[in-house]
Amino acid sequence: MEFDDLVSTCEAATVDALDVAVRRVHETAFLCNAARFDPTSMHLPVNGRVVLGDATDCALLRMAEHLCPLQPARRQYNTLLTVPFNLRRRWMLAVCTDRTKSAQSPFMVAKGAPETLLPKCTQVQIQNGEIVPMDHTRRSRIEEMQHRWAAQYGCRVLLLCRREYTESNPLSGVADSAELYAVACQNMCELCVVGLVGLVDPPRDEILDSVGKFRGAGIRVFMVTGDYAPTAAFVARQCGIITSTTVDGIDEINARVTVNKSEKRTDDIACRSTARSLLVSDSEHTLANRSSLVVSGPDLHGLGAVHWDIIALYDECVFARITPEQKLQVVEEMRGRKHIVAVTGDEVND
């Protein structure tokens, strides 16, 4: 179901009026969220309001407000604990209670990278709201949807999950926030998938021209991002950071290292020479055949100097699912190979 259809068929004045499946999506989208509407803009239509927070949370908050007004919904729930998103764990968690229920048993809602949260899920909600066991087919379908949305549309894909307790609830009666944090993190398992959300965050209009000017000055532009690799590659192509038709990955890097080892050319000069000969020669660097590479943070673990020698020769690089420590690693590896590196970004770890 497309979002426009979802809004037109499912928007409601109160949470209780929503279909049960949509209600769970709505609850997770606004309870597990650090963004807030600016109170001075609440008189405006939803899309015209000022939202305070990062782009992902802001988009989810607008979606939730479209489905059902949040002011009455917020009065219905009490948030006991929030565990913020970060680039290491790649998920956000909130522990909440529903004031309208007599037991007020705490439940958990979470959102984050599908490849991080999906292994923790044992159930999935289907369209009619029924909760069914997670099996290989359903897991594969979720993974396929993530890849397709990312590769075809450049979506940043989030998995929305929750965990409710029908019997013994380890979250009940825990008053100390530090203890509740520990208990909640220990119970980040047996989650139920309630939805998959795709967010499009297009690059600014001036980015393509800026990248072109850098290229004209002989400067290579690399992307270092926390996004999923297919999403990062799609956006990099929009920005002109990737232009070649063929894009290498970690398998090609490993293959080139294997070639070097098989030829027993392990000294530094020989490895650099072999790597350069396996890439496109300097005289052939055109828009059609620039050498492009996309690698993910987990791929970088255990790479040696020879791997980085080869990576440093690429004209166009995208480093995806990168942690703040790995951002620094990329800079240091390039500087260690006599490159002058400048870094820009919009987050504190930049």
Side-chain angles (χ1 to χ4, degrees), residues 250 253-254 257 261 302-312 337:
I250 192 62
I253 298 297
N254 288 331
V257 171
K261 289 181 178 179
L303 295 189
V306 178
H307 296 84
W308 282 102
D309 285 342
I310 297 171
I311 290 172
R337 286 157 180 80

Side-chain angles (χ1 to χ4, degrees), residues 22-341:
V22 180
R23 176 177 176 171
R24 292 189 184 114
V25 171
H26 178 264
E27 287 176 342
T28 307
F30 89 86
L31 289 173
C32 193
N33 197 314
R36 292 292 182 270
F37 286 114
D38 185 337
T40 63
S41 65
M42 290 300 292
H43 64 286
L44 298 173
V46 176
N47 289 340
R49 296 177 193 172
V50 176
V51 189
L52 309 175
D54 69 63
T56 298
D57 278 350
C58 289
L60 285 174
L61 196 70
R62 290 188 196 278
M63 182 191 76
E65 178 75 7
H66 274 296
L67 293 174
C68 177
L70 295 179
Q71 284 188 327
R74 287 194 188 282
R75 291 193 291 269
Q76 182 171 332
Y77 299 94
N78 180 37
T79 300
L80 306 178
L81 173 75
T82 298
V83 180
F85 176 91
N86 70 34
L87 288 172
R88 294 177 186 85
R89 56 175 169 257
R90 301 192 185 283
W91 50 258
M92 178 180 179
L93 166 70
V95 177
C96 309
T97 58
D98 186 341
R99 292 190 176 99
T100 64
K101 296 183 179 180
S102 57
Q104 292 195 27
S105 178
F107 62 93
M108 296 195 304
V109 287
K111 73 170 188 288
E115 63 267 34
T116 301
L117 286 181
L118 194 55
K120 303 177 185 293
C121 296
T122 57
Q123 296 177 313
V124 59
Q125 169 181 254
I126 58 178
Q127 193 166 355
N128 65 2
E130 180 184 357
I131 305 298
V132 297
M134 179 70 74
D135 58 19
H136 176 73
T137 300
R138 294 187 178 103
R139 191 180 303 275
S140 296
R141 185 183 178 196
I142 292 171
E143 292 170 342
E144 187 276 330
M145 289 177 67
Q146 178 196 13
H147 183 84
R148 177 162 52 85
W149 289 3
Q152 294 184 7
Y153 309 112
C155 287
R156 178 177 297 157
V157 183
L158 294 176
L159 200 68
L160 305 184
C161 307
R162 64 187 292 134
R163 183 174 183 182
E164 298 183 61
Y165 295 88
T166 56
E167 298 178 358
S168 176
N169 188 338
L171 304 172
S172 294
V174 182
D176 181 73
S177 58
E179 183 181 354
L180 184 59
Y181 172 87
V183 172
C185 291
Q186 288 171 2
N187 285 273
M188 272 289 287
C189 57
E190 299 182 25
L191 301 176
C192 174
V193 175
V194 299
L196 199 66
V197 178
L199 309 172
V200 177
D201 187 11
R204 295 196 298 269
D205 294 338
E206 65 269 21
I207 293 296
L208 189 62
D209 181 61
S210 297
V211 172
K213 288 179 179 177
F214 281 121
R215 287 198 188 283
I219 299 171
R220 292 183 294 170
V221 180
F222 291 0
M223 176 188 285
V224 185
T225 177
D227 281 337
Y228 182 53
T231 302
F234 185 97
V235 174
R237 202 172 285 280
Q238 286 182 309
C239 296
I241 293 174
I242 286 182
T243 59
S244 59
T245 55
T246 301
V247 179
D248 288 350
I250 192 62
D251 290 342
E252 284 75 20
I253 298 297
N254 288 331
R256 286 167 182 153
V257 171
T258 301
V259 168
N260 290 342
K261 289 181 178 179
S262 67
E263 294 178 355
K264 297 181 180 181
R265 302 176 68 183
T266 56
D267 61 280
D268 184 63
I269 296 176
C271 286
R272 289 176 183 270
S273 175
T274 302
R276 181 168 292 279
S277 70
L278 287 165
L279 298 174
V280 181
S281 66
D282 288 343
S283 63
E284 295 174 327
H285 280 173
T286 67
L287 190 64
N289 60 22
R290 285 197 179 101
S291 55
S292 302
L293 175 70
V294 176
V295 292
S296 292
D299 298 332
L300 302 184
H301 295 299
L303 295 189
V306 178
H307 296 84
W308 282 102
D309 285 342
I310 297 171
I311 290 172
L313 293 173
Y314 278 85
D315 284 331
E316 304 173 344
C317 286
V318 172
F319 298 90
R321 285 291 193 240
I322 293 294
T323 65
E325 293 84 0
Q326 288 175 324
K327 287 185 179 183
L328 180 59
Q329 180 188 11
V330 171
V331 172
E332 291 177 339
E333 292 290 353
M334 295 302 159
R335 291 182 64 191
R337 286 157 180 80
K338 309 303 181 184
H339 297 295
I340 299 172
V341 182

